[in-house]
Amino acid sequence: MQRNPAWLEILQIAPVVVLAAPIVVSGQVDLAALALPFTLGTLLAAVVTGIVWRQGGALNPIAVGTDVWLVLGTLGFAVGVPPLAAWLADTQGFALFLTITLVGAAFFASPFGTIGARGDADVVRSRSAALLGLIVLATAWAWWFRTDVRLGGGLPFIVCNMVRRVAIHKSPPPRAR
């Protein structure tokens, strides 16, 4: 399994860190008050995606789903689309994981799969199916804890990304044909 260098993996989660930093610093979670971090995260996501492509790396579908959520947050809170802003504020981590699930499902059929790595097609498909199953469970978890963005969004985000990295790292070498 060919995997991205660590710096390229870390870079892909930088956009959501831009959003998370004010939450960590203040200890308060008020997504509606984070219009600027949503916007900065969205802009950084575009730059990061360009860097990943330019480096020939594989996109992390979980990070891409998060980037789409940042775009939605920018539209809802910074641009001012009230129904979207209300839905994001009400659902918090669930909206994040619903977006990650949809993006992960879209990536499933790609050569990189939901795990976002190059390798033997059967291995990528089986690992992607397992990860997508975990993401669906994380989405249900996020619904249950939708009023707590840390427990309903942050915790499953970390778990899903760790499982993704282990699935890539522990994959067998490609089969000889």
Side-chain angles (χ1 to χ4, degrees), residues 19-20 33 50 60 69 72 75 80 107-108 122-124 126 132 142 144-145 155 168:
L19 178 70
N60 170 349
W69 179 73
L72 294 174
L75 292 172
F107 267 77
F108 185 82
D122 291 336
V123 174
V124 168
S126 69
L132 190 54
W144 186 261
F145 291 100
L155 178 63
I168 293 168

Side-chain angles (χ1 to χ4, degrees), residues 58-126:
L59 290 168
N60 170 349
I62 297 168
V64 173
T66 303
D67 296 344
V68 172
W69 179 73
L70 290 171
V71 170
L72 294 174
T74 299
L75 292 172
F77 302 120
V79 174
V81 179
L84 181 57
W87 181 71
L88 291 168
D90 290 344
T91 59
Q92 297 195 29
F94 174 72
L96 168 64
F97 267 88
L98 181 61
T99 307
I100 290 171
T101 299
L102 294 173
V103 170
F107 267 77
F108 185 82
S110 78
F112 304 106
T114 305
I115 63 171
R118 292 175 184 88
D120 180 83
D122 291 336
V123 174
V124 168
R125 193 171 17 265
S126 69

Side-chain angles (χ1 to χ4, degrees), residues 14-15 18-19 34-47 70 74 78:
V18 168
L19 178 70
L34 299 172
L36 180 59
F38 267 109
T39 303
L40 294 174
T42 296
L43 295 172
L44 182 57
V47 171
L70 290 171
T74 299

Side-chain angles (χ1 to χ4, degrees), residues 22-64:
I23 295 170
V24 171
V25 169
S26 72
Q28 302 295 320
V29 179
D30 179 8
L31 295 182
L34 299 172
L36 180 59
F38 267 109
T39 303
L40 294 174
T42 296
L43 295 172
L44 182 57
V47 171
V48 166
T49 299
I51 292 170
V52 172
W53 280 347
R54 187 166 172 87
Q55 292 293 316
L59 290 168
N60 170 349
I62 297 168
V64 173

